[in-house]
Amino acid sequence: MLSVPTLWTVIVINFLALGMVWAYVARAYPKFEAARYWTAAAFLAASGAAISMLRDVMDPRFPLIAGGGIMIFSSWLACMGVARFYHRPVSWPAAIVNSLLATAGLAFFLVVVDNMPMRVVIYSLAQSTPILLTLPLLIGEQSGRENPGARLAAIVGFLLLSIHAVRSGAALLGYGGAITAINFNGLQSIMILLLVFLAMGWNFACLLMAIERLRNEVADLALLDDLTGVANRRHLLQRLTEECARSERSHQPFSLLVIDLDGFKTINDTHGHAAGDACLKHFTLMAQTRLRPGDMLARTGGDEFCVVLPSSSLREAAMIARRVLEVCRQDAEACTGNDIPIAISIGVAQWDHGIGAFPDRLMANADHALYAAKKNGKNDFAVYDPAPPLSPEPNDSREASHHFA
């Protein structure tokens, strides 16, 4: 049978080690807010365990009440860290009030009525409540991504709840023998050791969650344009390759828009590169308001953009090109003072069997259409059609589509 001081010594060492790990993570990644919660939770748990160790050298009432309350609050902090990991709000009043109520319960069943089993039940319930509130976050997929660390944390959470339930039941029913403030029976000692081990497992799972989050962020950065935040050329080529392969299998077309900002060099030369960057970001925001869910806007370099339009015919793509063009025209008309009007030219092309699995051919077709739009006077769009009509179509100002071989 292990003594209570021996158990609490193990707990103190465990949480101090975890606290140092999380402190390093929090310092290395200042913007990773969850690490700060997990650091505080680990050090508070170590402090609570250290205070609880004083029960055999002084009146046990203060160590039992203060140490237990601190460890309960540390559990809330650990679960609040999970909430912040998923960018969810946390409720400090709820954590503080629940911790104080649990501490009051511990005090009542120690000072007013000395009942060790009830203290075990209250402590277990208080530790289990934040875990129960956190499990839905760990079980569900966030942003379409499954995090292996979150899955492990959910498993550990269920095990923690099970151990707390078994420990409370055993204490109430008297299984395993008597429990005192100085010594636990063998069953309770084993369950406390399991709780310590699972606490380490929880923190390890959180560390895996952090690693997976950082890995995803690095992967995203490799596929995103630094200035505008939309997809970059690498991401565009990946997506086009996927769409070409899908169209070859399904024989369903998709379309591509190639967009160029008219007179962008003049903007840079006249107003400076900062103004040019602002125009690029402003255009990105405007264009995204006219795209559909599933459409992908990418910046391919300089003032050139592409839009992948899945499952879209040439006619549908032309409609979207017109919408993007119109929002830019309306914005330019509203410009006053030092505002810089943005004008664009758009080339529209559709995948066909001749393109096959070669996205560069589709991009070349859209580039041909873009050249035609610029030749037509800029601030316009044109579609690529390899089979021109027998007679030329009338040019209906800026809304006309241009066909050419």
Side-chain angles (χ1 to χ4, degrees):
M1 182 183 298
L2 293 174
S3 68
V4 170
T6 302
L7 286 173
W8 286 122
T9 300
V10 172
I11 295 173
V12 169
I13 295 173
N14 167 66
F15 281 112
L16 280 176
L18 292 172
M20 287 188 288
V21 171
W22 282 120
Y24 177 82
V25 174
R27 182 173 181 179
Y29 302 97
K31 294 183 179 180
F32 187 43
E33 186 181 0
R36 298 199 292 271
Y37 284 85
W38 291 329
T39 301
F43 282 129
L44 269 182
S47 301
I51 292 172
S52 297
M53 291 175 64
L54 300 176
R55 69 181 70 188
D56 60 342
V57 297
M58 61 181 294
D59 185 334
R61 287 178 292 184
F62 171 75
L64 286 173
I65 297 170
I70 291 173
M71 294 197 70
I72 289 168
F73 186 62
S74 74
S75 297
W76 279 93
L77 283 177
C79 293
M80 289 162 72
V82 175
R84 293 309 302 147
F85 178 85
Y86 289 113
H87 307 293
R88 301 297 178 85
V90 295
S91 174
W92 284 97
I96 293 172
V97 168
N98 279 275
S99 299
L100 290 176
L101 287 175
T103 304
L106 294 176
F108 178 84
F109 285 105
L110 178 63
V111 178
V112 180
V113 179
D114 189 3
N115 190 321
M116 182 68 173
M118 282 304 301
R119 293 202 300 272
V120 172
V121 171
I122 290 173
Y123 182 82
S124 297
L125 283 174
Q127 291 271 356
S128 300
T129 301
I131 298 174
L132 280 170
L133 296 175
T134 306
L135 279 177
L137 283 176
L138 297 172
I139 295 172
E141 290 187 10
Q142 305 292 329
S143 303
R145 288 175 170 171
E146 184 178 352
N147 190 312
R151 186 166 61 247
L152 176 60
I155 294 172
V156 172
F158 280 116
L159 292 175
L160 284 168
L161 293 174
S162 301
I163 296 298
H164 280 303
V166 172
R167 184 176 180 233
S168 297
L172 287 173
L173 298 175
Y175 286 128
I179 312 172
T180 70
I182 303 301
N183 285 295
F184 289 146
N185 60 46
L187 178 61
Q188 289 288 334
S189 297
I190 290 173
M191 285 189 287
I192 290 177
L193 285 175
L194 286 174
L195 290 174
V196 174
F197 173 77
L198 290 173
M200 294 177 63
W202 174 278
N203 279 272
F204 179 68
C206 290
L207 190 59
L208 287 180
M209 289 166 58
I211 292 172
E212 183 68 12
R213 166 70 60 80
L214 295 172
R215 189 189 70 81
N216 288 334
E217 288 181 357
V218 170
D220 288 342
L221 287 174
L223 298 176
L224 295 179
D225 176 61
D226 291 339
L227 177 64
T228 60
V230 299
N232 60 16
R233 185 177 183 84
R234 173 190 288 184
H235 196 183
L236 172 71
L237 292 176
Q238 289 181 2
R239 179 67 179 273
L240 284 176
T241 301
E242 294 170 0
E243 293 294 336
C244 285
R246 186 178 295 112
S247 291
E248 276 206 303
R249 292 192 303 269
S250 65
H251 305 291
Q252 295 295 320
F254 75 97
S255 296
L256 176 71
L257 307 183
V258 173
I259 305 173
D260 187 80
L261 271 63
D262 297 330
F264 186 70
K265 184 178 184 303
T266 303
I267 293 176
N268 276 335
D269 293 342
T270 305
H271 302 279
H273 289 280
D277 290 347
C279 286
L280 293 173
K281 290 188 283 189
H282 184 56
F283 164 74
T284 299
L285 295 174
M286 286 193 298
Q288 288 174 323
T289 65
R290 296 300 184 266
L291 300 180
R292 309 161 303 180
D295 296 341
M296 190 184 82
L297 175 64
R299 183 186 177 206
T300 56
D303 61 335
E304 298 175 355
F305 293 82
C306 286
V307 181
V308 181
L309 304 172
S311 305
S312 298
S313 66
L314 197 62
R315 181 181 181 86
E316 292 169 330
M319 292 175 60
I320 294 173
R322 182 179 290 111
R323 288 161 53 184
V324 174
L325 189 65
E326 281 303 313
V327 72
C328 291
R329 289 175 179 167
Q330 292 169 8
D331 184 77
E333 290 174 358
C335 285
T336 58
N338 294 326
D339 294 338
I340 302 173
I342 297 174
I344 61 172
S345 295
I346 306 177
V348 187
Q350 174 186 295
W351 179 92
D352 59 33
H353 295 290
I355 291 171
F358 301 98
D360 55 321
R361 296 177 182 176
L362 179 61
M363 293 181 69
N365 291 348
D367 281 333
H368 281 301
L370 174 64
Y371 174 77
K374 285 188 172 293
K375 187 178 179 180
N376 193 51
K378 300 183 179 181
N379 201 19
D380 197 2
F381 80 94
V383 299
Y384 178 84
D385 187 349
L390 295 178
S391 58
E393 294 184 357
N395 184 0
D396 184 15
S397 71
R398 293 177 176 175
E399 299 293 349
S401 61
H402 305 269
H403 301 266
F404 54 93

